[in-house]
Amino acid sequence: MAMKKKISTSSIMPDWSQLPEELLHIIPTHLEDHYFDAVHARSVCRSWRSTFPFPSSLLRQSYSLPAFPLESKDLCCTLEKVPLFLFRVLTPPDAADASSEYFLGGLGQDKSNDHVELPSPLQCSVKVNVPGTEPILMNMLDCQIIPLGHKYRLMIGCNPEEYSAAFLPLNEQGGGGEFVALLDCTDLFLVLRSTEMRWIRLEKPSTASCKELFTFRGRFYATFFNGDKFVIDPSSLEATPLTPHIDSNFLVPSGNEELFLVKTDFLRCRVSRLDEEAAEWVEVSDLGDRVLFLGGHLGNFYCSAKELPHGCGLTGDSILFTVGSRNVTYPYKYGVHTNKRKAEDNINCWRSSRENRVLFRNRYDPVLSFRVER
């Protein structure tokens, strides 16, 4: 009986490291707007790694700003732009465990401690530090990665202490040109205009500590721990209060399309969107394909469920609280019926759906880690 020759898998897989050099230099020009494909390409082999530049949009860009007096000292000042992403660890379709692992946070630079290249030439990993555990090496090739925008933070002095900051480009494209920066400095705000390049003290509009600074449609927004919320004009620096003044509510910008207000007692939620022309909040019953992430140390964010496959545990028109004392929660959905519904209960709100359990492994810097169990 003739023996059948076993064909090695490696013999039928193309050796991309042998691609002609003239073709290799063409590929990066087609990946300028596909930065994660560029990262994957860098993991093929050393020659590809040296040819493909690490995408600048994934790096933590830093800007040197003028020093300003703080505690009677002139300290150097650096503004850092931190891109944020939602990582979903891919699982085989026939996996026995139906849960999905997620990480929410920033991506480290392609350098020594932040980026680790494993022995296999097809692996490209990012180190994720979860307090209380050993660092996790996340393989980029084994993750779906969804951009969530970015946040700004200011670092002051040789031993940096981080401050919350917001950065507002004054041109429509947002690249270069004039800008205004707003810094939360505990007891006061500081403002820097690129036309003057000096820090100006700005009295805080609230007596409480600032909770979050962000921008939306060309203006600054500041929220405080006592429920105060203000919109600050970048030209006049005039602060206008936003109502209602409730401590358990959250502002969530959806790009530059919508600004949502989520009012909650953590048993139920009501959601409104800002009607800028009418200067009022309009209650809504549908978030579309959005998933809102609320309350974490990274701020409030959203992602489009269109980016997520069916059966991954997260679906559109839902709210997930990433803050709280309990490690277990559930996504909130609109119109959920409770098991012990009382006559006065109103289903026209968002409630805990009890559909998919969410187990948080870590809620703090540098990354938020959770598992969705189906």
Side-chain angles (χ1 to χ4, degrees):
M1 179 182 295
M3 297 293 292
K4 291 184 179 180
K5 184 178 180 180
K6 184 177 180 180
I7 300 177
S8 172
T9 304
S10 60
S11 65
I12 62 175
M13 290 290 290
D15 185 357
W16 292 105
S17 64
Q18 301 301 315
L19 194 70
E21 187 174 345
E22 57 270 21
L23 293 180
L24 183 59
H25 287 282
I26 295 175
I27 298 175
T29 63
H30 295 276
L31 296 180
E32 293 176 354
D33 297 326
H34 304 278
Y35 34 85
F36 285 114
D37 289 335
V39 172
H40 290 177
R42 284 172 55 84
S43 69
V44 171
C45 61
R46 291 187 179 275
S47 62
W48 282 50
R49 187 178 179 84
S50 60
T51 302
F52 287 75
F54 195 84
S56 60
S57 56
L58 299 185
L59 299 178
R60 296 191 175 194
Q61 301 175 359
S62 297
Y63 309 89
S64 295
L65 299 179
F68 62 94
L70 184 65
E71 297 180 356
S72 302
K73 294 181 180 180
D74 287 338
L75 300 176
C76 60
C77 183
T78 303
L79 184 69
E80 189 176 47
K81 181 179 181 180
V82 183
L84 298 172
F85 304 92
L86 178 67
F87 302 81
R88 184 181 69 87
V89 180
L90 301 180
T91 54
D94 56 348
D97 187 357
S99 62
S100 296
E101 292 280 352
Y102 290 89
F103 298 89
L104 195 159
L107 185 68
Q109 293 188 19
D110 189 24
K111 294 182 180 179
S112 59
N113 292 331
D114 294 319
H115 187 279
V116 179
E117 190 173 18
L118 298 179
S120 169
L122 291 179
Q123 287 185 322
C124 176
S125 300
V126 174
K127 182 182 291 186
V128 177
N129 296 306
V130 178
T133 66
E134 292 295 323
I136 299 172
L137 292 177
M138 283 176 41
N139 190 345
M140 295 282 290
L141 301 182
D142 291 338
C143 289
Q144 178 188 9
I145 308 173
I146 303 172
L148 296 180
H150 56 266
K151 70 172 184 176
Y152 287 93
R153 62 182 181 182
L154 202 73
M155 303 173 69
I156 301 174
C158 298
N159 298 310
E161 180 177 356
E162 297 178 6
Y163 292 84
S164 177
F167 182 84
L168 183 62
L170 297 183
N171 60 322
E172 294 182 358
Q173 289 74 23
E178 298 181 1
F179 66 87
V180 180
L182 178 64
L183 167 68
D184 170 30
C185 196
T186 309
D187 296 324
L188 75 160
F189 283 161
L190 292 170
V191 179
L192 176 73
R193 291 192 176 100
S194 59
T195 54
E196 301 174 350
M197 292 305 287
R198 65 183 181 89
W199 292 99
I200 302 172
R201 292 175 179 264
L202 179 66
E203 184 178 351
K204 275 190 175 181
S206 174
T207 57
S209 298
C210 185
K211 185 177 182 181
E212 186 178 15
L213 290 175
F214 64 92
T215 61
F216 177 73
R217 292 185 180 177
R219 296 192 290 179
F220 293 107
Y221 285 78
T223 66
F224 297 84
F225 282 99
N226 65 349
D228 289 345
K229 294 171 178 61
F230 292 86
V231 55
I232 302 173
D233 184 271
S235 300
S236 66
L237 299 182
E238 181 180 350
T240 304
L242 288 173
T243 56
H245 296 274
I246 305 173
D247 56 357
S248 295
N249 59 25
F250 304 86
L251 288 179
V252 193
S254 176
N256 267 333
E257 298 175 0
E258 301 282 2
L259 180 62
F260 292 104
L261 170 68
V262 180
K263 296 181 289 184
T264 182
D265 59 3
F266 295 100
L267 293 177
R268 61 187 68 83
C269 300
R270 294 191 180 277
V271 182
S272 303
R273 65 172 183 84
L274 180 63
D275 184 336
E276 285 193 296
E277 292 186 2
E280 64 181 12
W281 294 99
V282 180
E283 191 165 324
V284 298
S285 60
D286 186 2
L287 294 172
D289 66 347
R290 300 177 181 89
V291 182
L292 304 186
F293 297 91
L294 306 182
H297 67 280
L298 296 171
N300 304 319
F301 295 94
Y302 89 100
C303 80
S304 171
K306 291 180 180 179
E307 303 279 353
L308 298 169
H310 177 73
C312 70
L314 294 179
T315 57
D317 196 19
S318 63
I319 300 170
L320 181 62
F321 287 97
T322 61
V323 66
S325 57
R326 299 181 61 188
N327 290 330
V328 176
T329 187
Y330 296 85
Y332 284 55
K333 290 282 191 177
Y334 189 83
V336 172
H337 290 266
T338 60
N339 293 332
K340 299 179 180 180
R341 186 184 172 191
K342 301 177 182 178
E344 64 272 18
D345 280 351
N346 188 347
I347 66 170
N348 297 323
C349 60
W350 273 264
R351 292 178 185 270
S352 179
S353 63
R354 300 287 173 174
E355 289 180 359
N356 300 315
R357 190 173 78 150
V358 179
L359 176 64
F360 286 95
R361 298 173 56 196
N362 175 61
R363 296 178 186 266
Y364 306 100
D365 278 330
V367 68
L368 186 149
S369 172
F370 61 96
R371 173 196 296 250
V372 180
E373 300 175 344
R374 305 188 297 280

